[in-house]
Amino acid sequence: MSAFAGKAAENLKKIRASKPVVHNITNFVVMNITANVLLACGASPVMAHADTEVEEMVDLANALVLNLGTLTDTWVNTMIKAGRRASNLGKPIVLDPVGAGATALRTNAARAILFQTWVNVVRGNASEILSLSGQDGATKGVDATRTVADAADEAGRLARELGTTLALTGATDLVTDGHRTLVIEGGHALMPLVTGTGCSATALVGAFLSVDQDPLTAAATALAYFGAAGEIAGTRTTGPGTFAIHLLDALHSLNPEELEARCRITSG
């Protein structure tokens, strides 16, 4: 059993004991499933995006998740405002650059957040991540047209350049801070067919960051937990509709000991 598996179990235990508050400024499409995933994990979700209250909400939260899914110019400013507050307080921030590379608004917003706040982890697909370096990520809407393997070398360089940890998700996940790289196996083929699974993974990274000060292991263990739940859900379902339900059940029922046994994290 690897040390990473033990770390995954430890992090899940801490979340369920402390019930960290995860403040999400996220998109309308995924608010419900994201909140339910956090509840199933053991965290306490907050969905608040009013410009006049986000700083107060950050004060109460243990982590901040910024998701560009249904972006507006106003939301960009609000995200930066909340991010600056979290940065000043030393609270972890996770950025999900949904659709970065597809439009100038999304790409520029992701870069602005990265340059004006202290983002601990960026979680996205390979195309979204590559777009942050100015490379052609060839994003198709919010879907990736590049694989994690395509982005591995570039991600390490980009992580060093941005001074953050990058979590690239796909059939196999990769997390790198530019010096260390971890590969995470798990999940199920139905996960991309359920709206909000990627965004939910981002929210879980926020929960794990609230109990683990190392962004690399926090992101990797969160993705291992989500992947293990996906594998369990896949054995109980016949299609994407019931998969979403079984995924929530699996996240709730998966205990630290079982996560440790199922966890597949290796050094890349």
Side-chain angles (χ1 to χ4, degrees):
M1 196 75 65
S2 74
F4 298 117
K7 187 65 172 176
E10 177 188 346
N11 284 346
L12 184 57
K13 284 180 183 177
K14 288 181 177 179
I15 289 170
R16 290 182 172 165
S18 63
K19 300 189 182 304
V21 175
V22 182
H23 177 194
N24 300 264
I25 303 178
T26 190
N27 75 78
F28 295 119
V29 177
V30 304
M31 285 185 184
N32 182 264
I33 186 173
T34 300
N36 282 332
V37 162
L38 285 169
L39 287 170
C41 175
S44 178
V46 171
M47 309 289 163
H49 55 265
D51 185 75
T52 51
E53 75 165 354
V54 290
E55 289 180 313
E56 290 179 85
M57 199 61 75
V58 167
D59 291 349
L60 300 173
N62 300 103
L64 174 66
V65 174
L66 304 175
N67 181 298
L68 307 188
T70 51
L71 198 61
T72 67
D73 291 320
T74 300
W75 274 31
V76 175
N77 295 330
T78 299
M79 288 179 180
I80 291 173
K81 183 176 182 178
R84 285 175 173 167
R85 183 73 162 193
S87 298
N88 289 337
L89 295 173
K91 297 189 177 184
I93 303 171
V94 186
L95 172 64
D96 191 329
V98 179
T103 69
L105 172 64
R106 293 171 182 276
T107 307
N108 292 337
R111 291 175 180 165
I113 291 168
L114 283 165
F115 295 144
Q116 296 185 53
T117 73
W118 188 264
V119 173
N120 301 83
V121 176
V122 182
R123 199 295 311 168
N125 63 45
S127 295
E128 292 163 343
I129 294 295
L130 286 178
S131 76
L132 302 179
S133 68
Q135 300 296 317
D136 180 13
T139 307
K140 177 183 167 185
V142 298
D143 297 325
T145 58
R146 304 286 295 276
T147 68
V148 170
D150 290 336
D153 291 340
E154 177 68 13
R157 185 200 64 76
L158 182 59
R160 291 190 296 273
E161 176 186 313
L162 297 175
T164 191
T165 294
L166 304 178
L168 289 69
T169 54
T172 298
D173 301 332
L174 180 145
V175 179
T176 181
D177 62 5
H179 306 283
R180 301 169 295 164
T181 298
L182 298 177
V183 176
I184 304 95
E185 302 286 347
H188 191 272
L190 285 173
M191 294 181 88
L193 301 182
V194 177
T195 298
T197 50
C199 299
S200 296
T202 302
L204 286 174
V205 171
F208 276 66
L209 264 174
S210 70
V211 300
D212 185 349
Q213 293 185 346
D214 184 346
L216 186 87
T217 57
T221 54
L223 295 177
Y225 166 65
F226 198 48
E231 289 178 334
I232 294 168
T235 66
R236 301 171 179 171
T237 188
T238 56
T242 53
F243 180 85
I245 297 169
H246 288 301
L247 179 61
L248 286 176
D249 288 346
L251 288 165
H252 175 72
S253 63
L254 185 60
N255 61 48
E257 293 73 27
E258 186 176 6
L259 174 58
E260 185 171 8
R262 288 179 171 271
C263 184
R264 302 201 302 280
I265 302 174
T266 56
S267 296

